[in-house]
Amino acid sequence: MKPTLRILLCLTLLPLLLGCTGHRRYAALLDEAEQANRVGRSLPSENQMLEVARHYDRWWIPRKQRIRSRYLLGCVYRDLNNTPRALDNYQQAVALGNGSKNVEVLGYLMRTHSQMAGIFEKQRLLDKEETELLLAKETSLLIQDTLSTLIFRELLCNLLYNKEQYKECIEGSRQLYESFLQSGFRDEGVLSLYLCIKSYMQLEEYGLAKRYLDLYESCSYFSDNPNKVKGGLGALYILKGRYYLGIEKNDSAEFYFRKGLLYGNLGNNELLAYKGLYKTFAMSNVADSVLKYTLLYSDAKERSYNEGVAEATIQAKELYDYTIEQREAKKKEREASWLKMGILAVSMVSILTALSLLYSYYVCKG
């Protein structure tokens, strides 16, 4: 083969080779992001995942890869606490996946709806949270993912509790417990009774609460490896404290609320333990302890409130920045569109002018 032809062949194949190398790199990044997301490790950087999403955002790319890249980019923004961008990418993933019957695509849809439900739960947008949980549950049924379906049902029960619909929560929780048992998930079913117990206590039905509390405490998760479920163990002690407070056994209530404080840095355990202790000492008329734990409860509540305000402020700023960015992007898109139209118009005029000149030339010549 002549040297010139070799050079031309290499130049022709170079873009294809570079494209294949780039595709392998993006596929590896996507796999790395998915694995990290599953085990709770840090995902690749925002810039890397943006590059990946743009690479896959082409009409000829299989839908599974496109929805996967958008879902994982949403998870990157989730970890950065950038709610607007997380929701935007999740919504793009949903739009790409809607109507698909592919099991893998539906799996990503299910996880996407679940992530959006989590965001709305933090924002206390209960109706939106419910919508996303129902969609996630419906999708899990389509792909016959029994455990996920049960988990979404549990989250819907938790939503009923947050809406103070305690009787409905009890009914849903008891049915859920039976479903867990029938599906072979005994321990998960026992742990799901947490909502049932709390609801009975809200209704001051302590006899029924105790029946399910004893069953809840029998879960092997607590006896086999207590360190595995520190948050859950703290919640158990606080539940027991609330039960004994409800039946006016103040010494036992104090004992369990203090045990709950051992796990005070997990979830709302600290807040609930201090609240339980000041109520216990108020019932026992121990004024100095009432004052002490009222102040501690007030401080813990204020910290929780300030953290919520700080997060809301960050989210408001992110939303403002995102809105400005979207406005600029739309402006640039319009400008690019007008530029393309202008170039097209000039090209058409040039072609018509050239044709007219050619026509005039041949007419005059003839």
Side-chain angles (χ1 to χ4, degrees), residues 292-306:
K292 174 185 174 180
Y293 287 106
T294 300
L295 290 172
L296 287 169
Y297 171 67
S298 178
D299 288 344
K301 194 169 185 179
E302 186 176 356
R303 283 199 305 276
S304 177
Y305 172 77
N306 288 339

Side-chain angles (χ1 to χ4, degrees), residues 19 39 126 140 170 180 296 317 322 360:
V39 298
L126 302 186
S140 69
I170 288 167
F180 268 118
L296 287 169
K317 182 182 182 303
Y322 178 71
S360 299

